[in-house]
Amino acid sequence: MKDIQEQIINYNKSVRYTAPWFIVVHDTGDPGASAQNEHDYFSGGDRQASADFFVDDDNIIQIIDTDSYYSWHCGDGRGAYGIKNSNSLGIEMCLKSDGTVSDETEQSTIELVLHLMDKYSIPIERVVRHYDASRKCCPGAFSSNNWARWWNFKDKLASGNASNGKWMLEDNKWWYLRSDNTYPRDCWEKINEKWYLFDISGYMQTGWKSDEGKWYYLGDSNDGAMKTGWVYDKNANKWYYCNSYGTMQTGWVKDNDKWYYLDTSGAMQTGWVKDGEKDYCLYSDGSMIHDCDLYGYRFASDGAAIKIE
């Protein structure tokens, strides 16, 4: 981890009476400003706000003595969700000029969080977003695709391997740099407990991909992790089911004691379907009708429909 530079300020802090319970991660919302820029701003007078740490590509700057004081970084939530200034630490990630958090800043933040978790005995469940404290969309740079980058951040924390490898973005395509400076190509690789597929050039694959005759769904361009269970494809506006190995299923599938029918493309069906010589009817949620009389038909325990005369 980079050295923590203590540049303590004299404003916008309160005496801490209890050890921090949460670590709250923010981004500055200030594209192009460095950690030093942020320190200089907050040290310049009463800003009615502060944070404990600012992180950029090259620096980790601490502006509050966290053992003795707490900063004013998430008071907008007024403790409604149990997270307050007085029971937390605030870390601000600096943004590049384009409004994104660089991989280097993210990695330094992970390493800082791991250090603070150890120092203050804070479990990963209490490493949270500013959003969790107040419902403010922060860190906004991590919020797209249903907070996909935030959950990837938490995965890295959980594995404790922030330095074992890192994701790299090149021409809007992701690839993974291992700690030994090699990268996966033309293969599957498990990263932070999730499986990813990389093409011959080493770029992470997304969407539907076929591998050895089997189909897998790998999420969108900022995700890429192999999916299991029910998958909604918004482009096709259809539901699909992938088993525990990620393989797309066809035909009959049982899930939570209900049967569903997937056509040859894998899409979940509703309404009437024919399988062999038997007719079946599926509710609007795709589950098979059985053991009842409905629509003028008697549905047996196996779902087969017989018209009631």
Side-chain angles (χ1 to χ4, degrees), residues 144-269:
S144 63
N145 300 304
N146 199 27
W147 295 95
R149 193 170 176 189
W150 169 253
W151 300 119
N152 189 42
F153 179 93
K154 289 294 291 281
D155 284 343
K156 292 176 183 178
L157 282 179
S159 63
N161 70 345
S163 62
N164 283 355
K166 60 181 180 180
W167 287 99
M168 310 293 289
L169 185 62
E170 180 181 289
D171 297 329
N172 292 318
K173 294 184 287 186
W174 289 99
W175 59 281
Y176 189 74
L177 180 65
R178 300 181 181 126
S179 59
D180 61 1
N181 287 323
T182 64
Y183 60 95
R185 55 193 295 270
D186 197 25
C187 67
W188 289 92
E189 180 137 337
K190 194 174 188 180
I191 302 170
N192 298 321
E193 302 305 314
K194 296 181 180 180
W195 284 100
Y196 297 84
L197 179 64
F198 296 88
D199 67 14
I200 191 67
S201 299
Y203 292 113
M204 180 190 78
Q205 300 294 281
T206 60
W208 287 104
K209 295 296 176 183
S210 178
D211 185 46
E212 296 184 353
K214 298 177 181 179
W215 284 94
Y216 301 84
Y217 188 67
L218 307 174
D220 62 25
S221 59
N222 287 307
D223 183 358
M226 183 191 77
K227 301 297 181 284
T228 60
W230 288 104
V231 171
Y232 178 68
D233 185 338
K234 62 183 180 182
N235 293 321
N237 192 28
K238 294 180 179 179
W239 285 94
Y240 299 81
Y241 189 84
C242 298
N243 66 16
S244 59
Y245 298 102
T247 306
M248 186 195 76
Q249 303 295 285
T250 60
W252 289 103
V253 167
K254 190 175 186 180
D255 182 53
N256 290 327
D257 294 322
K258 294 182 179 181
W259 284 98
Y260 300 84
Y261 189 75
L262 314 173
D263 68 13
T264 55
S265 74
M268 185 192 77
Q269 301 297 288

Side-chain angles (χ1 to χ4, degrees), residues 52-63:
D52 296 294
F53 301 89
F54 289 92
V55 183
D56 62 21
D57 283 5
D58 303 307
N59 304 283
I60 299 173
I61 297 179
Q62 180 176 356
I63 69 170

Side-chain angles (χ1 to χ4, degrees), residues 14-160:
S14 301
V15 174
R16 184 183 293 281
Y17 293 103
T18 60
W21 193 249
F22 294 93
I23 297 172
V24 182
V25 180
H26 310 246
D27 69 43
T28 61
D30 189 9
S34 68
Q36 190 63 57
N37 293 151
E38 299 294 346
H39 163 272
D40 294 348
Y41 171 77
F42 284 101
S43 68
D46 180 7
R47 308 302 187 188
Q48 290 298 299
S50 57
D52 296 294
F53 301 89
F54 289 92
V55 183
D56 62 21
D57 283 5
D58 303 307
N59 304 283
I60 299 173
I61 297 179
Q62 180 176 356
I63 69 170
I64 302 292
D65 175 2
T66 54
D67 292 332
S68 302
Y69 298 91
Y70 62 83
S71 64
W72 301 355
H73 64 97
C74 66
D76 54 338
R78 296 177 174 80
Y81 304 97
I83 306 165
K84 301 178 288 186
N85 288 328
S86 60
N87 68 1
S88 65
L89 300 167
I91 300 174
E92 292 273 4
M93 298 182 293
C94 294
L95 300 175
K96 298 194 298 182
S97 58
D98 64 1
T100 63
V101 172
S102 72
D103 291 336
E104 185 67 29
T105 293
E106 179 184 0
Q107 181 164 322
S108 291
T109 303
I110 290 170
E111 292 170 353
L112 174 61
V113 170
L114 289 170
H115 165 73
L116 295 171
M117 289 169 64
D118 181 63
K119 178 178 179 178
Y120 292 107
S121 299
I122 298 174
I124 192 170
E125 293 78 15
R126 295 203 294 270
V127 177
V128 299
R129 303 161 290 185
H130 187 182
Y131 172 84
D132 298 303
S134 70
R135 294 303 182 261
K136 179 181 179 179
C137 185
C138 177
F142 281 11
S143 66
S144 63
N145 300 304
N146 199 27
W147 295 95
R149 193 170 176 189
W150 169 253
W151 300 119
N152 189 42
F153 179 93
K154 289 294 291 281
D155 284 343
K156 292 176 183 178
L157 282 179
S159 63

